[in-house]
């Protein structure tokens, strides 16, 4: 089968990420004797520099880790709503939705602390070592990718008229960064240098103490003080008005990243590990639970296969909307039970459904937000949707980054850093990065699983994945793409498990390269929360016959470019031989896997 690249294989270490500089920086840490966790942290901080339109240190980072010989764990790098983020406060401002941008949309930043907790508890390298790569690219420059400049140009008016601190960083000399030119962020480099100096002085010399001192600087030192002061300044947001945020120094000081057990789901000899329903992660095992025995290698890629997956995805995402969230006790056991999914599977017919049909797990009555029940108008789905789109007020449809690493000792990690986009909020003066805007994923209505609730996490789209066989970690994977993440990952996982192996290992590159698609028949997690009932966006490589058959069945099909859907990354390890493998997405000309 033709693939754009080979599936890499070796025994030393493998990295796959959404940017080649992050992948190579992670590999450099492995070459210096670091493990998979050191490498992932190095990659993460480089991603903040080279993909600032997709993530930042004040964003979010759910992480799934599998230490060699230890249990799989989830490290939650998703910060909660601030104490002052009440529905009454936002309604009192005349808002029906949390703005998609600006200070009001800010949660407690989670990414930075999560990466440092991972480094402290599971890494071996010092903080200065893993930050060295990011500081070098921020200080000395990196060749900027096309979408950074395009994103900055799309918010030029906002930056020059309202978010002037952002203009100082991203419009040097009054122009957007040109593709390929060396772009620098000296403020960010200076922030990390000062952080290291203060943490080293306070840490007493030990690796762990320096890391914890850096975490205190972030929460309570010069960084925390700057973040809290910045959040209190009114700024233009996607409501078209200027608002101050509610994030305070107490919010920053009172939160830290924490470990929790993963959701584990058994499917055809595999165990899927996902984060819990404070993410959309359970939608992947729900889609698998809805499949019947007819989904096999013989049916793979057929029109009926695509139709079945699209319709199953609609049911899973409807349940996501009605049941997932950190503000409720989510009935996961019922949602993933055979009896529930047998009944739900019977709803999949020969024709495309245009209804949002959440189920009744355990006999419970589903409830949707009034904003959904009243029928929010949709917008046409764009091929490859998930990339940020930006309006005059900074309105975004967020996307993200991803990194997977496996090392020679068998440590494995999958992470999906996001948020803190350059277009999401004004750059904090002197720090070189903005706050995040994840709070837009909550509802301003009481009693919903994802209602805005102080101290509760917004239901995030971020959804890394890890899969085991016989209790041994075998595969780590994930993708950017907002609401599409667990659709594209389901398609990838099925391609890996249903299709032949290559060179004695999993065909990771073939599964990533396979034609992909997504549907938007559910409320978007991003402001302004649009729905497009019946929509399916496919890559043209799915073939004219499949497109014609989907349309015959009633789907509203948008045919995108041949390589427009998904940005998957993956690494794997064969527990019996120790052979490692990796692959990365060719779409967008950024993602790369490296290894040996």
């Amino acid at each position: 089968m033709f693939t754009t690249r080979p599936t890499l294989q070796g025994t030393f270490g493998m990295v796959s990420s959404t940017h080649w500089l992050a992948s190579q920086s992670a590999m450099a840490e492995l070459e210096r004797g670091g493990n998979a966790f050191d490498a992932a942290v190095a990659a993460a901080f480089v991603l903040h520099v080279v993909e600032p339109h997709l993530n930042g240190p004040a964003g979010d980072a759910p992480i799934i880790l599998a230490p060699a010989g230890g249990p799989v764990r989830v490290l939650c790098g998703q910060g909660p709503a601030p104490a002052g983020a009440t529905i009454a406060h936002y309604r009192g401002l005349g808002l029906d939705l949390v703005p998609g941008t600006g200070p009001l949309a800010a949660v407690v930043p989670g990414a930075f602390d999560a990466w440092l907790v991972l480094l402290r508890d599971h890494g071996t390298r010092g903080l200065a070592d893993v930050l060295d790569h990011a500081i070098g690219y921020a200080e000395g420059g990196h060749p900027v990718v096309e979408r950074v400049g395009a994103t900055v140009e799309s918010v030029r008016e906002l930056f020059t008229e309202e978010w002037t601190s952002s203009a100082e960083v991203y419009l040097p000399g009054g122009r957007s960064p040109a593709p390929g030119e060396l772009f620098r962020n000296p403020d960010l480099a200076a922030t990390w240098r000062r952080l290291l100096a203060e943490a080293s002085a306070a840490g007493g010399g030990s690796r762990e103490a320096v890391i914890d001192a850096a975490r205190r600087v972030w929460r309570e030192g010069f960084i925390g003080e700057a973040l809290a002061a910045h959040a209190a300044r009114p700024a233009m947001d996607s409501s078209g008005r200027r608002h101050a945020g509610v994030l305070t120094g107490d919010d920053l000081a009172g939160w830290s990243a924490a470990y929790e057990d993963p959701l584990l789901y058994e499917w055809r000899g595999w165990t899927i590990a996902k984060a819990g329903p404070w993410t959309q992660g359970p939608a992947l095992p729900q889609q698998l639970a809805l499949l019947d025995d007819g989904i096999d290698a013989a049916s793979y890629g057929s029109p009926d296969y695509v139709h079945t997956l699209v319709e199953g995805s609609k049911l899973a995402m409807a349940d996501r909307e009605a049941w997932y969230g950190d503000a409720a006790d989510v009935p996961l056991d019922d949602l993933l039970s055979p009896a529930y999914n047998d009944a739900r599977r019977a709803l999949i017919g020969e024709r495309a459904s245009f209804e949002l049909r959440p189920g009744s797990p355990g006999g419970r009555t589903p409830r949707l937000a009034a904003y959904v029940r009243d029928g929010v108008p949709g917008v046409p789905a764009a091929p490859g949707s998930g990339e940020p789109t930006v309006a005059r007020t900074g309105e975004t449809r967020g996307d993200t980054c991803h990194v997977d690493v496996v090392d020679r000792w068998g440590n494995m990690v999958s992470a999906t850093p996001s948020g803190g986009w350059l277009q999401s909020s004004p750059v904090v003066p002197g720090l070189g990065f903005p706050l995040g805007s994840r709070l837009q994923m909550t509802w301003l209505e009481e009693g919903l699983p994802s209602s805005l609730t102080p101290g509760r996490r917004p239901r995030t789209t971020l959804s890394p994945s890890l899969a085991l066989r016989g209790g041994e970690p075998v595969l780590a994977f994930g993708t950017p793409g907002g609401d599409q993440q667990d659709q594209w990952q389901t398609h990838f996982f099925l391609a890996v498990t249903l299709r032949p192996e290559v060179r004695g290992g999993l065909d990771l590159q073939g599964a990533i390269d396979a034609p992909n698609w997504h549907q938007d028949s559910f409320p978007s997690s991003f402001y302004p929360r649009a729905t497009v009932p019946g929509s399916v966006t496919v890559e043209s490589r799915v073939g004219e016959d499949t497109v014609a058959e989907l349309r015959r069945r009633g789907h509203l099909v948008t045919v995108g470019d041949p390589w427009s859907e998904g940005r998957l990354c993956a690494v794997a390890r064969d527990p019996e031989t120790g052979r490692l493998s990796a692959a990365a997405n060719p779409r967008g000309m950024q993602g790369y896997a490296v290894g040996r």
Side-chain angles (χ1 to χ4, degrees), residues 22-89:
S23 295
Q24 189 52 49
S25 297
M27 193 66 197
E29 284 304 305
L30 295 179
E31 297 286 1
R32 294 172 180 176
N35 64 20
F37 309 113
D38 299 311
V41 176
F45 280 97
V46 170
L47 287 170
H48 298 159
V49 177
V50 300
E51 291 193 320
H53 60 312
L54 304 179
N55 81 133
D60 328 283
I63 302 167
I64 301 182
L65 60 145
V72 177
R73 300 285 282 165
V74 171
L75 178 55
C76 173
Q78 174 58 68
T86 65
I87 290 175
H89 176 70

Side-chain angles (χ1 to χ4, degrees), residues 494-572:
L494 289 170
V496 167
T497 58
L498 296 180
R499 301 192 327 170
E501 296 184 335
V502 292
R503 290 200 293 270
L506 300 173
D507 185 11
L508 302 182
Q509 194 64 51
I512 288 174
D513 287 354
N516 219 323
W517 62 90
H518 79 270
Q519 59 88 15
D520 290 295
S521 294
F522 55 92
S524 169
S525 296
F526 298 90
Y527 182 95
R529 314 302 293 267
T531 305
V532 191
S535 70
V536 180
T537 304
V538 303
E539 291 180 330
S540 61
R541 292 181 298 124
V542 303
E544 294 180 359
D545 291 347
T546 295
V547 171
E549 177 60 15
L550 291 174
R551 285 174 172 158
R552 187 192 70 79
R553 296 189 185 201
H555 297 279
L556 303 179
V557 182
T558 298
V559 180
D561 292 337
W563 299 90
S564 55
E565 290 286 308
R567 289 178 66 204
L568 282 144
C569 301
V571 300

Side-chain angles (χ1 to χ4, degrees), residues 62-66 72 74 262-263 271-275 279-285 402-405 412-416 462-468 474-479 485-490 492-493 568-571:
I63 302 167
I64 301 182
L65 60 145
V72 177
V74 171
L263 165 66
T271 302
I272 307 297
K274 298 289 287 185
T279 75
Q280 69 175 2
L284 194 159
H402 189 80
V403 58
D404 299 308
V405 189
M412 187 177 286
V413 59
S414 179
T416 309
L462 306 177
S463 189
S465 299
L466 199 142
L468 305 87
V474 171
L475 177 65
F477 59 101
T479 180
Q485 288 181 33
D486 283 295
Q487 296 184 60
W488 290 334
Q489 289 185 77
T490 299
F492 165 82
F493 181 71
L568 282 144
C569 301
V571 300

Side-chain angles (χ1 to χ4, degrees), residues 268-569:
R268 299 188 184 182
W270 290 82
T271 302
I272 307 297
K274 298 289 287 185
W278 53 272
T279 75
Q280 69 175 2
L284 194 159
Q286 274 206 258
Q287 289 172 86
L288 295 178
L290 286 163
L291 299 176
D292 60 27
D293 293 338
I295 295 293
D296 55 21
S299 69
Y300 177 83
S302 67
D304 192 60
Y305 175 91
V306 176
H307 169 79
T308 299
L309 288 177
V310 168
E311 293 303 296
S313 170
K314 291 176 183 177
L315 296 174
M317 298 305 274
D319 277 344
R320 182 199 78 163
E321 196 56 41
W323 299 109
Y324 295 12
D326 199 34
D329 183 13
V330 181
L332 272 182
D333 289 343
D334 290 320
L335 287 167
L336 292 171
S337 69
Y340 178 77
N341 285 285
D342 287 347
R344 296 284 278 164
R345 189 181 306 116
L347 298 175
I348 300 176
E350 287 296 310
R351 301 284 297 174
S353 170
F354 280 59
E355 299 177 66
L356 188 68
R357 299 181 290 178
S360 300
R364 302 168 181 84
T365 301
R367 179 183 163 193
L368 299 170
Y371 203 78
V372 175
R373 298 194 305 272
D374 295 342
V376 185
V379 293
S385 65
E387 283 292 343
T389 56
V390 192
R392 163 66 175 78
T393 55
E395 177 184 317
T396 63
R397 181 168 186 166
D399 206 353
T400 178
C401 309
H402 189 80
V403 58
D404 299 308
V405 189
V406 62
D407 64 30
R408 61 191 184 276
W409 300 289
N411 299 301
M412 187 177 286
V413 59
S414 179
T416 309
S418 185
W421 308 308
L422 67 86
Q423 69 277 16
S424 69
S425 201
V427 166
V428 182
L431 297 187
F433 60 85
L435 288 166
S437 55
R438 192 65 56 179
L439 215 59
Q440 67 183 288
M441 297 181 175
T442 61
W443 293 109
L444 297 181
E445 180 180 342
E446 300 285 358
L448 299 169
S450 53
S451 296
L452 175 61
T453 309
R456 294 290 184 173
R457 296 165 288 190
R459 188 202 67 214
T460 182
T461 54
L462 306 177
S463 189
S465 299
L466 199 142
L468 305 87
R469 287 191 74 105
E472 291 288 334
V474 171
L475 177 65
F477 59 101
T479 180
D483 293 301
Q484 284 74 53
Q485 288 181 33
D486 283 295
Q487 296 184 60
W488 290 334
Q489 289 185 77
T490 299
H491 308 159
F492 165 82
F493 181 71
L494 289 170
V496 167
T497 58
L498 296 180
R499 301 192 327 170
E501 296 184 335
V502 292
R503 290 200 293 270
L506 300 173
D507 185 11
L508 302 182
Q509 194 64 51
I512 288 174
D513 287 354
N516 219 323
W517 62 90
H518 79 270
Q519 59 88 15
D520 290 295
S521 294
F522 55 92
S524 169
S525 296
F526 298 90
Y527 182 95
R529 314 302 293 267
T531 305
V532 191
S535 70
V536 180
T537 304
V538 303
E539 291 180 330
S540 61
R541 292 181 298 124
V542 303
E544 294 180 359
D545 291 347
T546 295
V547 171
E549 177 60 15
L550 291 174
R551 285 174 172 158
R552 187 192 70 79
R553 296 189 185 201
H555 297 279
L556 303 179
V557 182
T558 298
V559 180
D561 292 337
W563 299 90
S564 55
E565 290 286 308
R567 289 178 66 204
L568 282 144
C569 301

